[in-house]
Structures are given as C-alpha cells and as structure tokens.
C-alpha cells in the first residue's frame, strides 16, 4: 500500500513538473532570441553584440573574397537603433558572385535575416542583384535604394525548413547536405553586397522588426476614408477615395476648358442664314 501511494505521488509530481515546464516555455521561458541564433556575421566589419544579445562575429571572408567597406560609418542609418547602426554601416561587396557557408546540423524551421543599406548610390537602378540559397533564388532584383532610399536599413527575411535531408524554401525543395550556402549574385548593375546576416531557429514572428519608415508606412485598416470634391456631374456631391489611395498632385491651377465658352455651334446657323438671305435680296432688287 505504501509503495503504491509513493508511486502515485511520484507520478503526480512528475506530471506537475512537466506541466510547469510547458507553461514556462509558453510564457517565454524557452530559449532567448540570442540562443536561437546559430550563426551571425557582421560583413566587412568587426564582431558586434547587438541590443537583442545576438553576437555577430567578425567577417570570415576578410582577406579571402571581395572587399570590405566602412564608407557608411560617416552616415546615420535610419530605421536602426543607434547601438546597431554599425551592422548597416559596414559591408562586403565583390565584383562577382560571392557568399557564405552556414553549417546547420539539426532539422527544423529556420529564418535567414539579411541586412542591407545603400550608403553610396543616390538613385535606383545603380546596384541591383539577386540572393540565392543552395541554387534557390530567394530575392530577385534587389535594388536597396528603390526599396527604402539612401542610408536606410533594410532587412530581407527568408523562412526555410530542413527535414529528412530536404531543404524547403520559397515553395521549392532540394537535397540538403548540412550546409546552407547564401550567395549574392552579380547582376547587370554594379556589384552585389551585404552588410550583415544571421540564421536563427524559429518563425517570422520571432524576428526583431526594424523601426518604422516614415515614407513607407501603410495606413492602418479602419482609417477614415478621405473625401474629394467631384468636378461636376448630376449629383454635384462628393466622391469617396479609399484610404491609402495616392492623391493626385496638382502642378498648378486648373486649366479652364477652352471649349466651355465656345459659341461657334450657335453662330453657324446664323451665318448660313445670312449667306442665303443676301443673294436672295440682291436678286429681288434686280427685278
């Protein structure tokens, strides 16, 4: 009897501990963001510990592939915290396709985060390139300036899955041999580059978001609709423009309709009448 009671109590204690462990995990007691990151590099720069506790190691390609640049150090980077601007101020570029090899041993869901900022060119179509993962193109025609403008942080976030020796990304599947090859592919416009990158376990919701971009923010749902006067019409009222629709920019005062005061349609019958009346009158006078 005593042994049965002891076993029952032990079973209940184990169940309680398991329940508490699951509750702690659900409440955030699981691995921290930094613990989920399995690989991180500050391209073209030195090691850096960011505000989330992620340790970016020094660029392993230094002296091997491409060129490192710290040209961006003279510029403040929008959308990035002051402590982590260095991640976008340094970069590695190359005159040909280049990349990094990321070893991944465990199966599961992962996120690749690529960090960029355009600190040199001041217009679009100056630097355009692709990003490829193990032969899968995951970012096509990346034009950083066109996406966010100059000296502004931009993250490309790529979810991927590794299971049973297969890599799944962007709806494509290929054989996975334990190494994730992230390549920046040379295009027609200048050289490919990257500022920093990391790979972490988790989902899209786990990735830290950049600060809002004033010029790119979309109006939130439920925002009141704007109203605009109509140019005429039978009702002569107002028409509604959906929120988020681009307002037409007027370059000057409205040009008057050149045909609005045109009375030629009324004058034509009068001129015809005069044309008929004068010859008739002349003939009557000769009789």
């Amino acid at each position: 009897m005593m042994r049965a009671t002891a076993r029952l109590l032990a079973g209940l204690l184990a169940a309680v501990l398991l329940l508490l462990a699951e509750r702690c995990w659900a409440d955030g007691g699981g691995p921290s963001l930094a613990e989920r990151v399995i690989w991180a590099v500050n391209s073209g720069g030195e090691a850096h510990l960011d505000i989330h506790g992620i340790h970016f190691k020094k660029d392993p390609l230094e002296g091997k592939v491409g060129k490192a640049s710290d040209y961006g150090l003279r510029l403040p980077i929008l959308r990035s915290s002051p402590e982590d601007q260095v991640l976008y101020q340094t970069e590695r570029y190359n005159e040909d396709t280049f990349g990094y090899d990321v070893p991944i041993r465990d199966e599961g869901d992962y996120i690749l985060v690529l960090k960029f900022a355009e600190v040199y060119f001041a217009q679009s179509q100056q630097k355009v390139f692709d990003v490829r993962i193990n032969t899968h193109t995951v970012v096509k025609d990346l034009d950083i300036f066109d996406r966010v403008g100059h000296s502004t942080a931009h993250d490309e976030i790529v979810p991927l899955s590794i299971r049973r020796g297969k890599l799944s990304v962007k709806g494509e599947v290929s054989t996975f041999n334990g190494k994730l090859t992230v390549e920046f592919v040379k295009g027609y416009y200048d050289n490919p580059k990257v500022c920093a990158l990391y790979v972490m376990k988790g989902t899209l919701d786990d990735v830290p978001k950049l600060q809002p971009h004033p010029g790119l923010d979309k109006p939130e749902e439920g925002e009141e609709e704007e109203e605009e006067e109509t140019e005429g019409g039978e009702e002569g009222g107002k028409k509604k423009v959906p929120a988020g629709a681009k307002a037409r920019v007027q370059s000057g005062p409205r040009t008057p309709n050149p045909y609005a005061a045109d009375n030629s349609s009324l004058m034509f019958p009068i001129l015809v009448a005069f044309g008929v009346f004068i010859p008739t009158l002349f003939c009557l006078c000769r009789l």
Side-chain angles (χ1 to χ4, degrees):
M1 184 65 180
M2 295 287 293
R3 292 181 180 178
T5 303
R7 291 176 182 175
L8 179 60
L9 291 176
L12 290 174
L13 180 60
V16 170
L17 291 176
L18 180 60
L19 181 61
L20 290 175
E22 291 178 351
R23 178 66 60 84
C24 290
W25 182 281
D27 293 340
S32 65
L33 175 64
E35 292 172 335
R36 297 183 190 181
V37 174
I38 64 170
W39 190 92
V41 162
N42 181 23
S43 299
E46 300 296 325
H48 176 74
L49 183 66
D50 77 352
I51 59 175
H52 305 288
I54 301 175
H55 182 266
F56 291 82
K57 62 182 179 180
K58 181 179 179 179
D59 194 342
L61 297 184
E62 181 63 34
K64 299 177 182 178
V65 178
K67 298 178 182 179
S69 172
D70 60 359
Y71 184 85
L73 288 175
R74 67 192 71 186
L75 300 170
I77 305 297
L78 301 177
R79 302 185 72 194
S80 176
S81 62
E83 298 84 355
D84 293 334
Q85 289 191 16
V86 67
L87 293 174
Y88 299 92
Q89 291 169 324
T90 62
E91 63 184 52
R92 178 163 300 280
Y93 67 92
N94 191 33
E95 296 179 355
D96 199 356
T97 298
F98 76 102
Y100 297 85
D101 290 332
V102 183
I104 299 180
R105 295 177 298 177
D106 300 329
E107 295 185 345
D109 296 323
Y110 292 86
I111 302 290
L112 168 65
V113 180
L114 306 165
K115 295 182 175 292
F116 303 95
E118 183 52 71
V119 296
Y120 185 76
F121 293 111
Q123 63 183 28
S124 58
Q125 293 295 305
Q126 297 298 301
K127 181 187 290 292
V128 183
F129 57 93
D130 297 345
V131 180
R132 189 168 58 202
I133 300 178
N134 290 32
T135 72
H136 304 285
T137 299
V138 294
V139 182
K140 184 70 175 175
D141 295 330
L142 176 60
D143 187 334
I144 305 166
F145 183 89
D146 186 63
R147 296 283 184 92
V148 295
H150 191 266
S151 58
T152 303
H154 173 65
D155 287 355
E156 287 285 343
I157 303 173
V158 183
L160 55 101
S161 176
I162 300 173
R163 285 183 173 83
R164 297 182 179 180
K166 299 292 183 181
L167 167 67
S168 300
V169 57
K170 294 286 183 177
E172 300 178 356
V173 180
S174 63
T175 302
F176 185 70
N177 59 3
K179 181 175 63 177
L180 193 71
T181 301
V182 184
E183 294 181 295
F184 305 92
V185 184
K186 171 75 173 181
Y188 292 107
Y189 301 99
D190 202 65
N191 303 311
K193 76 167 191 177
V194 65
C195 295
L197 65 156
Y198 67 88
V199 177
M200 61 172 288
K201 287 185 175 181
T203 64
L204 291 173
D205 294 334
D206 301 323
V207 180
K209 303 298 186 293
L210 291 172
Q211 297 176 8
H213 191 302
L216 296 179
D217 286 348
K218 297 180 180 179
E220 295 183 0
E221 295 181 0
E223 194 171 345
E224 295 183 359
E225 295 180 340
E226 299 179 359
E227 294 183 348
E228 179 181 346
E229 294 184 1
T230 60
E231 296 181 3
E234 297 179 357
E235 298 180 356
K238 295 182 179 181
K239 65 180 181 180
K240 293 184 178 180
V241 179
K246 292 184 178 179
R248 185 175 61 182
V249 179
Q250 297 287 350
S251 59
R254 187 184 299 278
T255 303
N257 186 352
Y259 301 102
D262 189 0
N263 295 323
S264 59
S265 59
L266 298 176
M267 293 297 294
F268 182 76
I270 298 175
L271 293 175
V272 172
F274 270 108
V276 173
F277 176 72
I278 291 175
T280 304
L281 183 62
F282 179 77
C283 292
L284 290 176
C285 291
R286 293 190 64 182
L287 292 176

